[in-house]
Amino acid sequence: MRGGDTIVALSSGAVPSGVAVVRISGPRARELVEGLAGAMPNPRYLSLRELRWGGELIDRGLIAWFPGPNSFTGEDCAELQMHGSRAVIGALLGMLSSQPGVRLAEAGEFTRRAFENGKLDLTAVEGLGDLIEAETESQRRQALARLDGNLSTRIENWRLKLLDLQAEIAAQLDFADEGDVGELSGNFATELAALKADMERAAASFAQGRRVREGFRVALAGPPNVGKSSLLNALSQTDAAIVSDEPGTTRDVKEVALELGGQLVVLVDMAGLRDTESRAEAEGVRRARRQIEAADLVLWLTAPDVSATEKPAANCPVWEIATKADLGGGDISVRTGYGIDELLGRLKVAAADGVGGEPAVVSRERDVVALRMAVAELEGIDLDRLELAAESLRAAGHVLARLVGKVDAEMVLDRLFSAFCIGK
C-alpha cells in the first residue's frame, strides 16, 4: 500500500455492462472531478455531466461527490456512473492514472483506507468482505449485522467494562503506600462473573456463526457402493460426482454447495469406509474420517446389497439412511426419486436449527480464539492480589482491542485485503 496517492478503480462488475462505476479517492479527487466535469456537483447528490479530458468528450454520466471526512474512505471521494464499455472505462482509467500522484487502486485499498481513517474497524471490514461474498440470505444477514457493528459494539462494551473494573482496582491500590488498601465494592465479583459469562456465550455462538458463513456441512458416509455419490448428485441435481458400480471409485473428497431455505448447505461425498490394501484408497478413507469429524451432520448410508460396516464416531448427529429403496425396504431411491424430497426437507430443517434464529456475528476462527483468550485471562484473576488482577484485566482488554484492529492489525489486514476485489 502506498499512502498519500489518489487512487482510482472500476468498482462495479466486469465490463462490458450497462452501467459501470469508477471510484476516486484521495487528495487529488476534487481536482480530477473538476477536470472532468467543470464545476463541482453538490455533495451527496447525483449530477448528470459531460465527462471531458483535455477538451475530448469521454462519455456522459452521473457524478456523486463525497468530501472527506464524510465519505466511505474518510478522504475526498467521488463515484462516476457511466456506460460500461471497455473503451469508455479504459480511456477514463488511463487518463486518470496517468496524472501525477494518481494510480490504479490495489485490491481492497478503498476499504483499507476506510479502516485506517477510522470509518470501519476490523470486524466491520471482515463483515464487508463477507457481504461481498454472500450467496445466501442467511449469509447476507450475518455479514450485514457484522458490518453494521453488532460485534464491534459488544466488544467495545466489554472493553469499557474492563476499564471500569481496572479503575476500581486502581482506586484501591492508591492507598497501598499508606498500608491501608481499601476493599473492592461488594458487586465487583458479580460484575466480573457476568462479564466473563457474556463473553463465554458469545464464544459459544461460533458454531452457529461458522455454519452460516461457511455452510452447514453434511457428510455422506458409509461403505463402498452404498450410493453416496448417487445421492450427492440427486440432492444437488447435478452430475458432480462420478457414479460407478466398481467399489472404491471415490477416492477424494467432493463438495457440492446448495441453498436450502436461505441457508448454505455443503454436501460432502467421500470414499467408502473399509479396510483396503490400496494406498490411494486408504488415503481416501483417512480423509473421509476427517470429514466426518468436522461435519455438522452425518448421513450414514446403508443398502440391502452392501455388507454392513460399523459406524464411525462423530461429533454431530448421525442419521441412518437406507438407500436403494427400489430394491426393497429403503428410505430413498435415487433411481426412482423416492424419498429425495423428504430428505431435502429434513436437511432444510436441520440446517435452520443448526444456525438458530438471529445470525451469530462471531463467525471467524479469529473471533473465537480472541474471546477464549480474554476469558482465560479473567478466569485466572485472584482478587486477593489486586496488582495481578489489574494486569489480567488489562491483558483481556488488549486481546479485545486486537480483535477490532486497534493494535497489531497489520498481518490480519494483509491477509484479509488480499481476498478483496479491485475497486473495493
Side-chain angles (χ1 to χ4, degrees), residues 359-380:
V361 291
V362 177
S363 57
R364 291 172 176 258
E365 189 72 25
R366 195 178 69 86
D367 303 339
V368 72
V369 168
L371 290 174
R372 287 170 179 167
M373 288 176 62
V375 167
E377 293 289 349
L378 301 185
E379 286 177 340

Side-chain angles (χ1 to χ4, degrees), residues 256-275:
V256 174
L258 63 153
E259 182 177 352
L260 294 178
Q263 166 65 26
L264 179 65
V265 175
V266 180
L267 303 176
V268 186
D269 185 23
M270 60 191 71
L273 301 188
R274 67 171 178 177
D275 295 328

Side-chain angles (χ1 to χ4, degrees), residues 8 21 169 248 250 293 295 310 413:
V8 300
V21 178
I169 289 179
T250 302
E293 292 173 358
E310 182 181 356
L413 287 172

Side-chain angles (χ1 to χ4, degrees), residues 108-182:
E109 190 168 4
F110 290 96
T111 306
R112 183 159 191 159
R113 291 190 176 195
F115 169 80
E116 292 171 346
N117 291 325
K119 308 300 289 188
L120 298 172
D121 69 21
L122 189 51
T123 61
V125 168
E126 291 168 331
L128 177 58
D130 290 343
L131 185 61
I132 293 171
E133 298 293 330
E135 296 180 347
T136 68
E137 175 62 16
S138 59
Q139 288 176 329
R140 181 194 67 80
R141 293 174 58 229
Q142 181 189 69
L144 196 57
R146 192 175 177 111
L147 174 59
D148 282 347
N150 288 23
L151 180 58
S152 305
T153 299
R154 294 189 70 181
I155 293 171
E156 187 60 23
N157 288 338
W158 292 329
R159 291 183 65 240
L160 291 175
K161 189 60 183 179
L162 287 168
L163 289 173
D164 289 343
L165 296 175
Q166 285 179 260
E168 187 169 345
I169 289 179
Q172 302 304 319
L173 292 175
D174 282 344
F175 298 97
D177 293 341
E178 302 175 17
D180 185 22
V181 179

